[in-house]
mmCIF file with all atom_site columns, all heavy atoms in Angstrom:
data_model
loop_
_atom_site.group_PDB
_atom_site.id
_atom_site.type_symbol
_atom_site.label_atom_id
_atom_site.label_alt_id
_atom_site.label_comp_id
_atom_site.label_asym_id
_atom_site.label_entity_id
_atom_site.label_seq_id
_atom_site.pdbx_PDB_ins_code
_atom_site.Cartn_x
_atom_site.Cartn_y
_atom_site.Cartn_z
_atom_site.occupancy
_atom_site.B_iso_or_equiv
_atom_site.pdbx_formal_charge
_atom_site.auth_seq_id
_atom_site.auth_comp_id
_atom_site.auth_asym_id
_atom_site.auth_atom_id
_atom_site.pdbx_PDB_model_num
ATOM 1   N N   . ALA A 1 107 ? -27.217 -3.021  -28.297 1.00 0.00 ? 107 ALA A N   1
ATOM 2   C CA  . ALA A 1 107 ? -26.982 -4.021  -27.228 1.00 0.00 ? 107 ALA A CA  1
ATOM 3   C C   . ALA A 1 107 ? -26.322 -5.296  -27.852 1.00 0.00 ? 107 ALA A C   1
ATOM 4   O O   . ALA A 1 107 ? -25.361 -5.858  -27.393 1.00 0.00 ? 107 ALA A O   1
ATOM 5   C CB  . ALA A 1 107 ? -28.239 -4.319  -26.525 1.00 0.00 ? 107 ALA A CB  1
ATOM 6   N N   . PHE A 1 108 ? -27.038 -5.758  -28.924 1.00 0.00 ? 108 PHE A N   1
ATOM 7   C CA  . PHE A 1 108 ? -26.549 -6.941  -29.677 1.00 0.00 ? 108 PHE A CA  1
ATOM 8   C C   . PHE A 1 108 ? -25.129 -6.668  -30.168 1.00 0.00 ? 108 PHE A C   1
ATOM 9   O O   . PHE A 1 108 ? -24.235 -7.668  -29.962 1.00 0.00 ? 108 PHE A O   1
ATOM 10  C CB  . PHE A 1 108 ? -27.524 -7.219  -30.852 1.00 0.00 ? 108 PHE A CB  1
ATOM 11  C CG  . PHE A 1 108 ? -27.013 -8.333  -31.697 1.00 0.00 ? 108 PHE A CG  1
ATOM 12  C CD1 . PHE A 1 108 ? -27.205 -9.648  -31.299 1.00 0.00 ? 108 PHE A CD1 1
ATOM 13  C CD2 . PHE A 1 108 ? -26.372 -8.042  -32.886 1.00 0.00 ? 108 PHE A CD2 1
ATOM 14  C CE1 . PHE A 1 108 ? -26.776 -10.654 -32.176 1.00 0.00 ? 108 PHE A CE1 1
ATOM 15  C CE2 . PHE A 1 108 ? -25.885 -9.131  -33.753 1.00 0.00 ? 108 PHE A CE2 1
ATOM 16  C CZ  . PHE A 1 108 ? -26.145 -10.351 -33.357 1.00 0.00 ? 108 PHE A CZ  1
ATOM 17  N N   . GLU A 1 109 ? -24.825 -5.633  -30.764 1.00 0.00 ? 109 GLU A N   1
ATOM 18  C CA  . GLU A 1 109 ? -23.537 -5.381  -31.262 1.00 0.00 ? 109 GLU A CA  1
ATOM 19  C C   . GLU A 1 109 ? -22.443 -5.408  -30.195 1.00 0.00 ? 109 GLU A C   1
ATOM 20  O O   . GLU A 1 109 ? -21.365 -5.939  -30.398 1.00 0.00 ? 109 GLU A O   1
ATOM 21  C CB  . GLU A 1 109 ? -23.431 -4.005  -31.968 1.00 0.00 ? 109 GLU A CB  1
ATOM 22  C CG  . GLU A 1 109 ? -24.300 -3.998  -33.308 1.00 0.00 ? 109 GLU A CG  1
ATOM 23  C CD  . GLU A 1 109 ? -24.534 -2.650  -33.821 1.00 0.00 ? 109 GLU A CD  1
ATOM 24  O OE1 . GLU A 1 109 ? -24.022 -1.634  -33.315 1.00 0.00 ? 109 GLU A OE1 1
ATOM 25  O OE2 . GLU A 1 109 ? -25.269 -2.514  -34.863 1.00 0.00 ? 109 GLU A OE2 1
ATOM 26  N N   . TYR A 1 110 ? -22.731 -4.847  -29.054 1.00 0.00 ? 110 TYR A N   1
ATOM 27  C CA  . TYR A 1 110 ? -21.716 -4.778  -27.988 1.00 0.00 ? 110 TYR A CA  1
ATOM 28  C C   . TYR A 1 110 ? -21.593 -6.190  -27.287 1.00 0.00 ? 110 TYR A C   1
ATOM 29  O O   . TYR A 1 110 ? -20.456 -6.615  -26.980 1.00 0.00 ? 110 TYR A O   1
ATOM 30  C CB  . TYR A 1 110 ? -22.055 -3.745  -26.926 1.00 0.00 ? 110 TYR A CB  1
ATOM 31  C CG  . TYR A 1 110 ? -21.469 -2.400  -27.293 1.00 0.00 ? 110 TYR A CG  1
ATOM 32  C CD1 . TYR A 1 110 ? -22.245 -1.399  -27.972 1.00 0.00 ? 110 TYR A CD1 1
ATOM 33  C CD2 . TYR A 1 110 ? -20.227 -2.026  -26.983 1.00 0.00 ? 110 TYR A CD2 1
ATOM 34  C CE1 . TYR A 1 110 ? -21.752 -0.196  -28.297 1.00 0.00 ? 110 TYR A CE1 1
ATOM 35  C CE2 . TYR A 1 110 ? -19.648 -0.868  -27.321 1.00 0.00 ? 110 TYR A CE2 1
ATOM 36  C CZ  . TYR A 1 110 ? -20.435 0.117   -27.954 1.00 0.00 ? 110 TYR A CZ  1
ATOM 37  O OH  . TYR A 1 110 ? -19.814 1.365   -28.381 1.00 0.00 ? 110 TYR A OH  1
ATOM 38  N N   . TYR A 1 111 ? -22.611 -6.876  -27.206 1.00 0.00 ? 111 TYR A N   1
ATOM 39  C CA  . TYR A 1 111 ? -22.612 -8.328  -26.686 1.00 0.00 ? 111 TYR A CA  1
ATOM 40  C C   . TYR A 1 111 ? -21.698 -9.140  -27.595 1.00 0.00 ? 111 TYR A C   1
ATOM 41  O O   . TYR A 1 111 ? -20.918 -9.895  -27.145 1.00 0.00 ? 111 TYR A O   1
ATOM 42  C CB  . TYR A 1 111 ? -23.978 -8.894  -26.574 1.00 0.00 ? 111 TYR A CB  1
ATOM 43  C CG  . TYR A 1 111 ? -24.842 -8.419  -25.418 1.00 0.00 ? 111 TYR A CG  1
ATOM 44  C CD1 . TYR A 1 111 ? -26.189 -8.427  -25.513 1.00 0.00 ? 111 TYR A CD1 1
ATOM 45  C CD2 . TYR A 1 111 ? -24.270 -8.069  -24.220 1.00 0.00 ? 111 TYR A CD2 1
ATOM 46  C CE1 . TYR A 1 111 ? -27.046 -8.028  -24.552 1.00 0.00 ? 111 TYR A CE1 1
ATOM 47  C CE2 . TYR A 1 111 ? -25.092 -7.610  -23.171 1.00 0.00 ? 111 TYR A CE2 1
ATOM 48  C CZ  . TYR A 1 111 ? -26.473 -7.627  -23.314 1.00 0.00 ? 111 TYR A CZ  1
ATOM 49  O OH  . TYR A 1 111 ? -27.253 -7.182  -22.243 1.00 0.00 ? 111 TYR A OH  1
ATOM 50  N N   . LYS A 1 112 ? -21.843 -8.862  -28.934 1.00 0.00 ? 112 LYS A N   1
ATOM 51  C CA  . LYS A 1 112 ? -21.037 -9.764  -29.802 1.00 0.00 ? 112 LYS A CA  1
ATOM 52  C C   . LYS A 1 112 ? -19.607 -9.370  -29.820 1.00 0.00 ? 112 LYS A C   1
ATOM 53  O O   . LYS A 1 112 ? -18.709 -10.261 -29.768 1.00 0.00 ? 112 LYS A O   1
ATOM 54  C CB  . LYS A 1 112 ? -21.577 -9.513  -31.267 1.00 0.00 ? 112 LYS A CB  1
ATOM 55  C CG  . LYS A 1 112 ? -20.903 -10.579 -32.192 1.00 0.00 ? 112 LYS A CG  1
ATOM 56  C CD  . LYS A 1 112 ? -21.677 -10.675 -33.496 1.00 0.00 ? 112 LYS A CD  1
ATOM 57  C CE  . LYS A 1 112 ? -21.172 -11.913 -34.365 1.00 0.00 ? 112 LYS A CE  1
ATOM 58  N NZ  . LYS A 1 112 ? -19.765 -12.082 -34.384 1.00 0.00 ? 112 LYS A NZ  1
ATOM 59  N N   . LEU A 1 113 ? -19.262 -8.078  -29.695 1.00 0.00 ? 113 LEU A N   1
ATOM 60  C CA  . LEU A 1 113 ? -17.879 -7.648  -29.451 1.00 0.00 ? 113 LEU A CA  1
ATOM 61  C C   . LEU A 1 113 ? -17.311 -8.444  -28.272 1.00 0.00 ? 113 LEU A C   1
ATOM 62  O O   . LEU A 1 113 ? -16.145 -8.880  -28.323 1.00 0.00 ? 113 LEU A O   1
ATOM 63  C CB  . LEU A 1 113 ? -17.769 -6.129  -29.286 1.00 0.00 ? 113 LEU A CB  1
ATOM 64  C CG  . LEU A 1 113 ? -17.933 -5.222  -30.475 1.00 0.00 ? 113 LEU A CG  1
ATOM 65  C CD1 . LEU A 1 113 ? -17.978 -3.810  -30.057 1.00 0.00 ? 113 LEU A CD1 1
ATOM 66  C CD2 . LEU A 1 113 ? -16.764 -5.496  -31.456 1.00 0.00 ? 113 LEU A CD2 1
ATOM 67  N N   . SER A 1 114 ? -17.971 -8.366  -27.113 1.00 0.00 ? 114 SER A N   1
ATOM 68  C CA  . SER A 1 114 ? -17.520 -9.001  -25.961 1.00 0.00 ? 114 SER A CA  1
ATOM 69  C C   . SER A 1 114 ? -17.409 -10.505 -26.075 1.00 0.00 ? 114 SER A C   1
ATOM 70  O O   . SER A 1 114 ? -16.469 -11.035 -25.725 1.00 0.00 ? 114 SER A O   1
ATOM 71  C CB  . SER A 1 114 ? -18.445 -8.504  -24.713 1.00 0.00 ? 114 SER A CB  1
ATOM 72  O OG  . SER A 1 114 ? -17.938 -9.113  -23.511 1.00 0.00 ? 114 SER A OG  1
ATOM 73  N N   . ALA A 1 115 ? -18.485 -11.052 -26.558 1.00 0.00 ? 115 ALA A N   1
ATOM 74  C CA  . ALA A 1 115 ? -18.593 -12.528 -26.628 1.00 0.00 ? 115 ALA A CA  1
ATOM 75  C C   . ALA A 1 115 ? -17.464 -13.072 -27.588 1.00 0.00 ? 115 ALA A C   1
ATOM 76  O O   . ALA A 1 115 ? -16.828 -14.080 -27.269 1.00 0.00 ? 115 ALA A O   1
ATOM 77  C CB  . ALA A 1 115 ? -19.923 -12.991 -27.261 1.00 0.00 ? 115 ALA A CB  1
ATOM 78  N N   . ASP A 1 116 ? -17.107 -12.331 -28.614 1.00 0.00 ? 116 ASP A N   1
ATOM 79  C CA  . ASP A 1 116 ? -16.111 -12.829 -29.544 1.00 0.00 ? 116 ASP A CA  1
ATOM 80  C C   . ASP A 1 116 ? -14.633 -12.647 -28.995 1.00 0.00 ? 116 ASP A C   1
ATOM 81  O O   . ASP A 1 116 ? -13.766 -13.215 -29.564 1.00 0.00 ? 116 ASP A O   1
ATOM 82  C CB  . ASP A 1 116 ? -16.221 -12.115 -30.900 1.00 0.00 ? 116 ASP A CB  1
ATOM 83  C CG  . ASP A 1 116 ? -17.458 -12.569 -31.714 1.00 0.00 ? 116 ASP A CG  1
ATOM 84  O OD1 . ASP A 1 116 ? -18.021 -13.625 -31.296 1.00 0.00 ? 116 ASP A OD1 1
ATOM 85  O OD2 . ASP A 1 116 ? -17.808 -11.919 -32.661 1.00 0.00 ? 116 ASP A OD2 1
ATOM 86  N N   . GLN A 1 117 ? -14.624 -11.876 -27.802 1.00 0.00 ? 117 GLN A N   1
ATOM 87  C CA  . GLN A 1 117 ? -13.324 -11.874 -27.112 1.00 0.00 ? 117 GLN A CA  1
ATOM 88  C C   . GLN A 1 117 ? -13.279 -13.007 -26.139 1.00 0.00 ? 117 GLN A C   1
ATOM 89  O O   . GLN A 1 117 ? -12.241 -13.104 -25.377 1.00 0.00 ? 117 GLN A O   1
ATOM 90  C CB  . GLN A 1 117 ? -13.066 -10.494 -26.415 1.00 0.00 ? 117 GLN A CB  1
ATOM 91  C CG  . GLN A 1 117 ? -12.775 -9.436  -27.373 1.00 0.00 ? 117 GLN A CG  1
ATOM 92  C CD  . GLN A 1 117 ? -12.196 -8.290  -26.641 1.00 0.00 ? 117 GLN A CD  1
ATOM 93  O OE1 . GLN A 1 117 ? -11.009 -8.323  -26.156 1.00 0.00 ? 117 GLN A OE1 1
ATOM 94  N NE2 . GLN A 1 117 ? -12.867 -7.223  -26.461 1.00 0.00 ? 117 GLN A NE2 1
ATOM 95  N N   . GLY A 1 118 ? -14.448 -13.718 -25.905 1.00 0.00 ? 118 GLY A N   1
ATOM 96  C CA  . GLY A 1 118 ? -14.380 -14.917 -24.947 1.00 0.00 ? 118 GLY A CA  1
ATOM 97  C C   . GLY A 1 118 ? -14.990 -14.651 -23.648 1.00 0.00 ? 118 GLY A C   1
ATOM 98  O O   . GLY A 1 118 ? -14.887 -15.512 -22.816 1.00 0.00 ? 118 GLY A O   1
ATOM 99  N N   . TYR A 1 119 ? -15.687 -13.562 -23.415 1.00 0.00 ? 119 TYR A N   1
ATOM 100 C CA  . TYR A 1 119 ? -16.301 -13.283 -22.151 1.00 0.00 ? 119 TYR A CA  1
ATOM 101 C C   . TYR A 1 119 ? -17.638 -14.063 -22.014 1.00 0.00 ? 119 TYR A C   1
ATOM 102 O O   . TYR A 1 119 ? -18.600 -13.852 -22.701 1.00 0.00 ? 119 TYR A O   1
ATOM 103 C CB  . TYR A 1 119 ? -16.633 -11.752 -21.921 1.00 0.00 ? 119 TYR A CB  1
ATOM 104 C CG  . TYR A 1 119 ? -17.062 -11.320 -20.583 1.00 0.00 ? 119 TYR A CG  1
ATOM 105 C CD1 . TYR A 1 119 ? -16.566 -11.950 -19.503 1.00 0.00 ? 119 TYR A CD1 1
ATOM 106 C CD2 . TYR A 1 119 ? -18.211 -10.449 -20.457 1.00 0.00 ? 119 TYR A CD2 1
ATOM 107 C CE1 . TYR A 1 119 ? -16.990 -11.555 -18.215 1.00 0.00 ? 119 TYR A CE1 1
ATOM 108 C CE2 . TYR A 1 119 ? -18.601 -10.146 -19.203 1.00 0.00 ? 119 TYR A CE2 1
ATOM 109 C CZ  . TYR A 1 119 ? -18.035 -10.649 -18.072 1.00 0.00 ? 119 TYR A CZ  1
ATOM 110 O OH  . TYR A 1 119 ? -18.470 -10.338 -16.787 1.00 0.00 ? 119 TYR A OH  1
ATOM 111 N N   . ASP A 1 120 ? -17.640 -14.929 -21.046 1.00 0.00 ? 120 ASP A N   1
ATOM 112 C CA  . ASP A 1 120 ? -18.705 -15.911 -20.887 1.00 0.00 ? 120 ASP A CA  1
ATOM 113 C C   . ASP A 1 120 ? -20.065 -15.236 -20.685 1.00 0.00 ? 120 ASP A C   1
ATOM 114 O O   . ASP A 1 120 ? -21.108 -15.731 -21.242 1.00 0.00 ? 120 ASP A O   1
ATOM 115 C CB  . ASP A 1 120 ? -18.379 -16.896 -19.827 1.00 0.00 ? 120 ASP A CB  1
ATOM 116 C CG  . ASP A 1 120 ? -18.217 -16.389 -18.469 1.00 0.00 ? 120 ASP A CG  1
ATOM 117 O OD1 . ASP A 1 120 ? -17.639 -15.261 -18.409 1.00 0.00 ? 120 ASP A OD1 1
ATOM 118 O OD2 . ASP A 1 120 ? -18.495 -17.014 -17.427 1.00 0.00 ? 120 ASP A OD2 1
ATOM 119 N N   . VAL A 1 121 ? -20.114 -14.208 -19.893 1.00 0.00 ? 121 VAL A N   1
ATOM 120 C CA  . VAL A 1 121 ? -21.445 -13.500 -19.503 1.00 0.00 ? 121 VAL A CA  1
ATOM 121 C C   . VAL A 1 121 ? -22.056 -13.051 -20.931 1.00 0.00 ? 121 VAL A C   1
ATOM 122 O O   . VAL A 1 121 ? -23.257 -13.141 -21.131 1.00 0.00 ? 121 VAL A O   1
ATOM 123 C CB  . VAL A 1 121 ? -21.309 -12.465 -18.529 1.00 0.00 ? 121 VAL A CB  1
ATOM 124 C CG1 . VAL A 1 121 ? -22.594 -11.721 -18.281 1.00 0.00 ? 121 VAL A CG1 1
ATOM 125 C CG2 . VAL A 1 121 ? -20.701 -13.112 -17.234 1.00 0.00 ? 121 VAL A CG2 1
ATOM 126 N N   . ALA A 1 122 ? -21.193 -12.362 -21.701 1.00 0.00 ? 122 ALA A N   1
ATOM 127 C CA  . ALA A 1 122 ? -21.662 -11.869 -22.964 1.00 0.00 ? 122 ALA A CA  1
ATOM 128 C C   . ALA A 1 122 ? -22.020 -12.943 -23.918 1.00 0.00 ? 122 ALA A C   1
ATOM 129 O O   . ALA A 1 122 ? -22.961 -12.807 -24.699 1.00 0.00 ? 122 ALA A O   1
ATOM 130 C CB  . ALA A 1 122 ? -20.519 -10.999 -23.580 1.00 0.00 ? 122 ALA A CB  1
ATOM 131 N N   . GLN A 1 123 ? -21.378 -14.066 -23.894 1.00 0.00 ? 123 GLN A N   1
ATOM 132 C CA  . GLN A 1 123 ? -21.768 -15.188 -24.649 1.00 0.00 ? 123 GLN A CA  1
ATOM 133 C C   . GLN A 1 123 ? -23.165 -15.610 -24.334 1.00 0.00 ? 123 GLN A C   1
ATOM 134 O O   . GLN A 1 123 ? -23.969 -15.911 -25.254 1.00 0.00 ? 123 GLN A O   1
ATOM 135 C CB  . GLN A 1 123 ? -20.743 -16.332 -24.556 1.00 0.00 ? 123 GLN A CB  1
ATOM 136 C CG  . GLN A 1 123 ? -19.378 -16.023 -25.208 1.00 0.00 ? 123 GLN A CG  1
ATOM 137 C CD  . GLN A 1 123 ? -18.265 -17.006 -24.710 1.00 0.00 ? 123 GLN A CD  1
ATOM 138 O OE1 . GLN A 1 123 ? -18.437 -17.659 -23.710 1.00 0.00 ? 123 GLN A OE1 1
ATOM 139 N NE2 . GLN A 1 123 ? -17.142 -16.908 -25.451 1.00 0.00 ? 123 GLN A NE2 1
ATOM 140 N N   . ASN A 1 124 ? -23.479 -15.688 -23.111 1.00 0.00 ? 124 ASN A N   1
ATOM 141 C CA  . ASN A 1 124 ? -24.797 -16.012 -22.730 1.00 0.00 ? 124 ASN A CA  1
ATOM 142 C C   . ASN A 1 124 ? -25.855 -14.914 -23.194 1.00 0.00 ? 124 ASN A C   1
ATOM 143 O O   . ASN A 1 124 ? -26.938 -15.270 -23.725 1.00 0.00 ? 124 ASN A O   1
ATOM 144 C CB  . ASN A 1 124 ? -25.026 -16.196 -21.255 1.00 0.00 ? 124 ASN A CB  1
ATOM 145 C CG  . ASN A 1 124 ? -24.573 -17.644 -20.850 1.00 0.00 ? 124 ASN A CG  1
ATOM 146 O OD1 . ASN A 1 124 ? -24.921 -18.588 -21.514 1.00 0.00 ? 124 ASN A OD1 1
ATOM 147 N ND2 . ASN A 1 124 ? -24.084 -17.744 -19.629 1.00 0.00 ? 124 ASN A ND2 1
ATOM 148 N N   . ASN A 1 125 ? -25.489 -13.721 -23.006 1.00 0.00 ? 125 ASN A N   1
ATOM 149 C CA  . ASN A 1 125 ? -26.407 -12.660 -23.414 1.00 0.00 ? 125 ASN A CA  1
ATOM 150 C C   . ASN A 1 125 ? -26.679 -12.671 -24.929 1.00 0.00 ? 125 ASN A C   1
ATOM 151 O O   . ASN A 1 125 ? -27.697 -12.448 -25.352 1.00 0.00 ? 125 ASN A O   1
ATOM 152 C CB  . ASN A 1 125 ? -25.804 -11.243 -22.969 1.00 0.00 ? 125 ASN A CB  1
ATOM 153 C CG  . ASN A 1 125 ? -25.853 -10.992 -21.526 1.00 0.00 ? 125 ASN A CG  1
ATOM 154 O OD1 . ASN A 1 125 ? -26.700 -11.666 -20.799 1.00 0.00 ? 125 ASN A OD1 1
ATOM 155 N ND2 . ASN A 1 125 ? -25.035 -10.216 -21.007 1.00 0.00 ? 125 ASN A ND2 1
ATOM 156 N N   . LEU A 1 126 ? -25.589 -12.944 -25.677 1.00 0.00 ? 126 LEU A N   1
ATOM 157 C CA  . LEU A 1 126 ? -25.767 -12.993 -27.132 1.00 0.00 ? 126 LEU A CA  1
ATOM 158 C C   . LEU A 1 126 ? -26.666 -14.254 -27.518 1.00 0.00 ? 126 LEU A C   1
ATOM 159 O O   . LEU A 1 126 ? -27.483 -14.157 -28.425 1.00 0.00 ? 126 LEU A O   1
ATOM 160 C CB  . LEU A 1 126 ? -24.370 -13.066 -27.794 1.00 0.00 ? 126 LEU A CB  1
ATOM 161 C CG  . LEU A 1 126 ? -24.228 -13.040 -29.243 1.00 0.00 ? 126 LEU A CG  1
ATOM 162 C CD1 . LEU A 1 126 ? -24.808 -11.598 -29.791 1.00 0.00 ? 126 LEU A CD1 1
ATOM 163 C CD2 . LEU A 1 126 ? -22.853 -13.259 -29.769 1.00 0.00 ? 126 LEU A CD2 1
ATOM 164 N N   . ALA A 1 127 ? -26.416 -15.292 -26.780 1.00 0.00 ? 127 ALA A N   1
ATOM 165 C CA  . ALA A 1 127 ? -27.219 -16.512 -27.008 1.00 0.00 ? 127 ALA A CA  1
ATOM 166 C C   . ALA A 1 127 ? -28.700 -16.224 -26.821 1.00 0.00 ? 127 ALA A C   1
ATOM 167 O O   . ALA A 1 127 ? -29.511 -16.729 -27.598 1.00 0.00 ? 127 ALA A O   1
ATOM 168 C CB  . ALA A 1 127 ? -26.802 -17.634 -26.086 1.00 0.00 ? 127 ALA A CB  1
ATOM 169 N N   . TYR A 1 128 ? -29.079 -15.497 -25.820 1.00 0.00 ? 128 TYR A N   1
ATOM 170 C CA  . TYR A 1 128 ? -30.480 -15.116 -25.648 1.00 0.00 ? 128 TYR A CA  1
ATOM 171 C C   . TYR A 1 128 ? -31.068 -14.274 -26.767 1.00 0.00 ? 128 TYR A C   1
ATOM 172 O O   . TYR A 1 128 ? -32.235 -14.503 -27.168 1.00 0.00 ? 128 TYR A O   1
ATOM 173 C CB  . TYR A 1 128 ? -30.628 -14.391 -24.272 1.00 0.00 ? 128 TYR A CB  1
ATOM 174 C CG  . TYR A 1 128 ? -30.587 -15.280 -23.056 1.00 0.00 ? 128 TYR A CG  1
ATOM 175 C CD1 . TYR A 1 128 ? -29.613 -15.029 -22.104 1.00 0.00 ? 128 TYR A CD1 1
ATOM 176 C CD2 . TYR A 1 128 ? -31.439 -16.292 -22.894 1.00 0.00 ? 128 TYR A CD2 1
ATOM 177 C CE1 . TYR A 1 128 ? -29.446 -15.859 -21.017 1.00 0.00 ? 128 TYR A CE1 1
ATOM 178 C CE2 . TYR A 1 128 ? -31.345 -17.219 -21.813 1.00 0.00 ? 128 TYR A CE2 1
ATOM 179 C CZ  . TYR A 1 128 ? -30.378 -16.868 -20.882 1.00 0.00 ? 128 TYR A CZ  1
ATOM 180 O OH  . TYR A 1 128 ? -30.283 -17.758 -19.690 1.00 0.00 ? 128 TYR A OH  1
ATOM 181 N N   . PHE A 1 129 ? -30.289 -13.432 -27.391 1.00 0.00 ? 129 PHE A N   1
ATOM 182 C CA  . PHE A 1 129 ? -30.641 -12.711 -28.542 1.00 0.00 ? 129 PHE A CA  1
ATOM 183 C C   . PHE A 1 129 ? -31.021 -13.647 -29.668 1.00 0.00 ? 129 PHE A C   1
ATOM 184 O O   . PHE A 1 129 ? -32.071 -13.500 -30.370 1.00 0.00 ? 129 PHE A O   1
ATOM 185 C CB  . PHE A 1 129 ? -29.680 -11.652 -29.009 1.00 0.00 ? 129 PHE A CB  1
ATOM 186 C CG  . PHE A 1 129 ? -29.855 -10.278 -28.420 1.00 0.00 ? 129 PHE A CG  1
ATOM 187 C CD1 . PHE A 1 129 ? -29.659 -10.073 -27.046 1.00 0.00 ? 129 PHE A CD1 1
ATOM 188 C CD2 . PHE A 1 129 ? -30.388 -9.343  -29.154 1.00 0.00 ? 129 PHE A CD2 1
ATOM 189 C CE1 . PHE A 1 129 ? -29.830 -8.806  -26.439 1.00 0.00 ? 129 PHE A CE1 1
ATOM 190 C CE2 . PHE A 1 129 ? -30.555 -8.016  -28.591 1.00 0.00 ? 129 PHE A CE2 1
ATOM 191 C CZ  . PHE A 1 129 ? -30.286 -7.787  -27.250 1.00 0.00 ? 129 PHE A CZ  1
ATOM 192 N N   . TYR A 1 130 ? -30.199 -14.588 -29.900 1.00 0.00 ? 130 TYR A N   1
ATOM 193 C CA  . TYR A 1 130 ? -30.327 -15.519 -30.946 1.00 0.00 ? 130 TYR A CA  1
ATOM 194 C C   . TYR A 1 130 ? -31.549 -16.490 -30.641 1.00 0.00 ? 130 TYR A C   1
ATOM 195 O O   . TYR A 1 130 ? -32.278 -16.927 -31.559 1.00 0.00 ? 130 TYR A O   1
ATOM 196 C CB  . TYR A 1 130 ? -29.111 -16.373 -31.198 1.00 0.00 ? 130 TYR A CB  1
ATOM 197 C CG  . TYR A 1 130 ? -28.069 -15.647 -32.031 1.00 0.00 ? 130 TYR A CG  1
ATOM 198 C CD1 . TYR A 1 130 ? -26.772 -15.446 -31.625 1.00 0.00 ? 130 TYR A CD1 1
ATOM 199 C CD2 . TYR A 1 130 ? -28.309 -15.278 -33.394 1.00 0.00 ? 130 TYR A CD2 1
ATOM 200 C CE1 . TYR A 1 130 ? -25.826 -14.773 -32.381 1.00 0.00 ? 130 TYR A CE1 1
ATOM 201 C CE2 . TYR A 1 130 ? -27.394 -14.572 -34.136 1.00 0.00 ? 130 TYR A CE2 1
ATOM 202 C CZ  . TYR A 1 130 ? -26.131 -14.301 -33.621 1.00 0.00 ? 130 TYR A CZ  1
ATOM 203 O OH  . TYR A 1 130 ? -25.188 -13.644 -34.404 1.00 0.00 ? 130 TYR A OH  1
ATOM 204 N N   . LYS A 1 131 ? -31.699 -16.773 -29.392 1.00 0.00 ? 131 LYS A N   1
ATOM 205 C CA  . LYS A 1 131 ? -32.685 -17.695 -29.014 1.00 0.00 ? 131 LYS A CA  1
ATOM 206 C C   . LYS A 1 131 ? -34.124 -17.040 -29.223 1.00 0.00 ? 131 LYS A C   1
ATOM 207 O O   . LYS A 1 131 ? -35.142 -17.745 -29.620 1.00 0.00 ? 131 LYS A O   1
ATOM 208 C CB  . LYS A 1 131 ? -32.674 -18.079 -27.462 1.00 0.00 ? 131 LYS A CB  1
ATOM 209 C CG  . LYS A 1 131 ? -33.598 -19.179 -27.036 1.00 0.00 ? 131 LYS A CG  1
ATOM 210 C CD  . LYS A 1 131 ? -33.346 -19.519 -25.644 1.00 0.00 ? 131 LYS A CD  1
ATOM 211 C CE  . LYS A 1 131 ? -31.972 -20.219 -25.421 1.00 0.00 ? 131 LYS A CE  1
ATOM 212 N NZ  . LYS A 1 131 ? -31.785 -20.688 -24.042 1.00 0.00 ? 131 LYS A NZ  1
ATOM 213 N N   . TYR A 1 132 ? -34.271 -15.704 -28.899 1.00 0.00 ? 132 TYR A N   1
ATOM 214 C CA  . TYR A 1 132 ? -35.646 -15.083 -28.889 1.00 0.00 ? 132 TYR A CA  1
ATOM 215 C C   . TYR A 1 132 ? -35.758 -14.107 -30.033 1.00 0.00 ? 132 TYR A C   1
ATOM 216 O O   . TYR A 1 132 ? -36.833 -13.542 -30.289 1.00 0.00 ? 132 TYR A O   1
ATOM 217 C CB  . TYR A 1 132 ? -35.881 -14.445 -27.626 1.00 0.00 ? 132 TYR A CB  1
ATOM 218 C CG  . TYR A 1 132 ? -35.800 -15.441 -26.496 1.00 0.00 ? 132 TYR A CG  1
ATOM 219 C CD1 . TYR A 1 132 ? -34.839 -15.335 -25.442 1.00 0.00 ? 132 TYR A CD1 1
ATOM 220 C CD2 . TYR A 1 132 ? -36.820 -16.364 -26.389 1.00 0.00 ? 132 TYR A CD2 1
ATOM 221 C CE1 . TYR A 1 132 ? -34.821 -16.279 -24.465 1.00 0.00 ? 132 TYR A CE1 1
ATOM 222 C CE2 . TYR A 1 132 ? -36.723 -17.361 -25.316 1.00 0.00 ? 132 TYR A CE2 1
ATOM 223 C CZ  . TYR A 1 132 ? -35.775 -17.220 -24.326 1.00 0.00 ? 132 TYR A CZ  1
ATOM 224 O OH  . TYR A 1 132 ? -35.798 -18.170 -23.281 1.00 0.00 ? 132 TYR A OH  1
ATOM 225 N N   . GLY A 1 133 ? -34.647 -13.791 -30.820 1.00 0.00 ? 133 GLY A N   1
ATOM 226 C CA  . GLY A 1 133 ? -34.692 -12.837 -31.880 1.00 0.00 ? 133 GLY A CA  1
ATOM 227 C C   . GLY A 1 133 ? -34.704 -11.385 -31.345 1.00 0.00 ? 133 GLY A C   1
ATOM 228 O O   . GLY A 1 133 ? -33.854 -10.684 -31.955 1.00 0.00 ? 133 GLY A O   1
#
Side-chain angles (χ1 to χ4, degrees):
F108 173 81
E109 291 168 3
Y110 274 96
Y111 285 149
K112 192 165 190 314
L113 283 174
S114 180
D116 288 347
Q117 287 201 71
Y119 186 43
D120 59 324
V121 176
Q123 289 165 344
N124 274 328
N125 288 338
L126 189 62
Y128 285 120
F129 266 73
Y130 281 120
K131 187 179 291 184
Y132 301 113

